[in-house]
Amino acid sequence: MSNRFTQYILIAMALGIVMGALIFNFLPDIRSDIAADVNLIAMLFLRLIKMIIAPLVFATLVGGIAHMGGGARLGRIFAKTMGWFVSASFVVAATRSGDGQSAAAGREFPGHAAGQGAIDRPAGVGVLDREFLTHLIPTSIADAMAQNEILQIVVFAVFFSVALGAMPERSSGCWS
């Protein structure tokens, strides 16, 4: 089935290219109206995707972490994850990756003069920033899901699944 589905996707892409070229070349008077209608369909599709992200992230993390079992295994995975995160952050900081990106993207940081080559980060921006740390912990999971705050959903899911995994086998059997 997946092979046939791939064929359908490729055929639809080719038809979309052909239809776009035909409309652009032969219907210049109504192409903006058609583009607006297609844009509506695209926006609805993207909203459907955004709608499923939060529950999918939550369910995946809770299912994966809760079935991991003991704290030692979870601790090892956490240590490896933090090691990779700190290593990647160190490489980014050491190589100054991202320098010049604000000018290239057309965005300015507060205090960033136009035409400067490197990004001037505002003071206090980092992992230990007060706003960042308070933003990590959701006021409620419903609010975090409504606002599609993935980082808050991840934090809640980790706490929830660790608590769920710590429950005795007899009481947590209904979650299996």
Side-chain angles (χ1 to χ4, degrees):
M1 171 162 159
S2 64
N3 190 20
R4 183 164 290 252
F5 189 64
T6 303
Q7 290 173 349
Y8 290 149
I9 290 173
L10 293 174
I11 290 168
M13 286 175 50
L15 286 173
I17 292 170
V18 169
M19 289 301 298
L22 290 173
I23 290 170
F24 183 80
N25 291 320
F26 297 113
L27 299 171
D29 298 336
I30 62 168
R31 65 180 168 204
S32 63
D33 295 333
I34 295 172
D37 293 341
V38 171
N39 188 38
L40 175 64
I41 294 169
M43 293 305 294
L44 292 174
F45 178 74
L46 289 175
R47 289 179 70 107
L48 287 169
I49 298 294
K50 287 180 182 180
M51 176 182 68
I52 196 69
I53 288 174
L56 184 65
V57 166
F58 179 76
T60 302
L61 286 173
V62 169
I65 294 172
H67 288 324
M68 223 177 255
R73 187 171 175 198
L74 182 61
R76 281 193 307 273
I77 290 177
F78 176 76
K80 287 180 187 178
T81 303
M82 287 305 293
W84 280 106
F85 176 75
V86 170
S87 300
S89 298
F90 176 75
V91 169
V92 167
T95 60
R96 297 189 53 96
S97 296
D99 284 358
Q101 291 297 310
S102 67
R107 292 185 292 261
E108 301 293 332
F109 284 101
H112 183 74
Q116 268 183 305
I119 295 175
D120 291 330
R121 289 172 181 85
V125 174
V127 175
L128 297 178
D129 181 33
R130 182 178 296 217
E131 282 185 45
F132 175 75
L133 290 175
T134 55
H135 184 74
L136 279 176
I137 309 298
T139 54
S140 78
I141 188 60
D143 183 51
M145 285 195 171
Q147 299 298 322
N148 220 11
E149 292 285 348
I150 299 300
L151 191 56
Q152 292 180 356
I153 294 167
V154 167
V155 168
F156 178 81
V158 167
F159 281 116
F160 183 79
S161 56
V162 166
L164 191 63
M167 292 175 63
E169 209 42 56
R170 187 172 188 182
S171 61
S172 66
C174 64
W175 293 95
S176 300

